Amino acid sequence: VDLNRNYPDAEDGPHPDGNPYQDETEAFMALTDTLLYNMSSNLHGGAEVANYPWDTWVQLHADDSWWQYVCEQYADTAQGQSPSGYFTDLNNGITNGNDWYEIHGGRQDYMTYFKYGREFTLELSNNKIPNANKLPDFWDYNYRSLLNYLEQSLYGLRGIVTDSITGDPLRALVYINGHDLDSSHVYSQLPVGNYHRYLDAGTYAITYSAPGYHSKTIGSIGVQQGTATIQDVQLAPYSAVGIS
């Protein structure tokens, strides 16, 4: 069974390949229930390109411009650290997944749609199964790009959501007004109440909401590339008289 067709799919449901979940699939899904990933990647051979969501359908991700920026940074750096012609497939080393070819049940879309993270697929070698002695070369070509991608996790919009009375952390929906669609929103996570929302440069209005609490909308939050915008939020419980 191809494990990269074996995950739940946003369009085709729980078993898009018609097979039961494999042991490896179940183990990884269990892992993502306990370790909450904000950014991730899966690595493949067969091409030299950074493939970003979505694979399963033609509509673009809400953060398509951010994905293009991140993938172009990856490709540019890999090209600068490798022999001429490496990592230049398709659109000079990047592609929207569905534009390349449609798949269902891939891990990239599973992580991005169901786990509210950001995952892309790295195709690192035109040879599907390269000789093991080539692996150090591929590491040299790519590790700086991988570090750049990890560094992106420090940027964008982030903060902590808490109860305005007790100060306790909350699991709250963080929704970009007029922007989010197809599960691109995120949640603040317990036990800290922290959230991480990666965005292209711009000005956004964000609504924070949680069951039992008054929602709060904050307008005109500016986000820039390569910096972190910190926005901590306190939500008032419905039981707080006179607070809105």
Side-chain angles (χ1 to χ4, degrees):
V1 171
D2 185 342
L3 298 178
N4 203 40
R5 306 293 187 274
N6 193 232
Y7 285 89
D9 187 80
E11 185 171 58
D12 291 351
H15 295 280
D17 61 353
N19 292 305
Y21 297 137
Q22 302 300 290
D23 290 346
E24 299 93 331
T25 310
E26 289 187 332
F28 184 79
M29 290 194 293
L31 179 67
T32 63
D33 288 336
T34 57
L35 294 177
L36 303 171
Y37 294 92
N38 298 302
M39 294 182 68
S40 54
S41 176
N42 63 93
L43 278 63
H44 295 241
E48 296 170 2
V49 69
N51 176 108
Y52 56 89
W54 301 102
D55 285 332
T56 192
W57 52 36
V58 68
Q59 59 259 40
L60 298 177
H61 192 279
D63 300 314
D64 183 71
S65 59
W66 178 84
W67 271 123
Q68 290 191 46
Y69 170 81
V70 170
C71 290
E72 285 171 353
Q73 182 186 60
Y74 189 100
D76 289 349
T77 302
Q79 291 164 14
Q81 301 296 327
S82 62
S84 177
Y86 179 71
F87 219 88
T88 57
D89 287 353
L90 300 171
N91 302 313
N92 197 31
I94 78 168
T95 186
N96 170 272
N98 193 273
D99 281 350
W100 186 13
Y101 64 97
E102 181 176 332
I103 75 163
H104 304 279
R107 205 190 83 172
Q108 166 187 279
D109 285 7
Y110 169 75
M111 290 294 290
T112 303
Y113 187 89
F114 292 101
K115 309 307 285 187
Y116 312 107
R118 298 296 181 265
E119 176 161 317
F120 72 154
T121 302
L122 290 173
E123 301 275 357
L124 299 178
S125 168
N126 283 325
N127 186 340
K128 189 72 174 176
I129 307 177
N131 192 292
N133 64 19
K134 288 291 295 179
L135 295 180
D137 291 336
F138 289 123
W139 171 251
D140 288 341
Y141 302 162
N142 286 277
Y143 83 83
R144 296 171 186 84
S145 295
L146 290 166
L147 290 174
N148 286 341
Y149 184 61
L150 289 173
E151 190 175 15
Q152 286 293 331
S153 69
L154 304 175
Y155 304 147
L157 176 67
R158 71 173 190 255
I160 296 176
V161 184
T162 55
D163 182 303
S164 65
I165 304 299
T166 66
D168 291 338
L170 298 176
R171 187 178 192 271
L173 170 66
V174 181
Y175 185 84
I176 313 299
N177 298 349
H179 177 87
D180 276 328
L181 74 161
D182 295 332
S183 197
S184 64
H185 56 272
V186 300
Y187 290 88
S188 58
Q189 300 292 347
L190 299 177
V192 177
N194 57 307
Y195 69 93
H196 303 264
R197 181 63 169 89
Y198 307 117
L199 289 161
D200 202 3
T203 302
Y204 302 90
I206 295 94
T207 297
Y208 301 82
S209 58
Y213 289 82
H214 295 277
S215 296
K216 178 178 287 188
T217 297
I218 301 176
S220 300
I221 297 179
V223 175
Q224 297 180 351
Q225 296 289 6
T227 64
T229 298
I230 310 298
Q231 183 66 62
D232 296 333
V233 174
Q234 294 182 330
L235 296 183
Y238 288 142
S239 58
V241 177
I243 297 176
S244 61

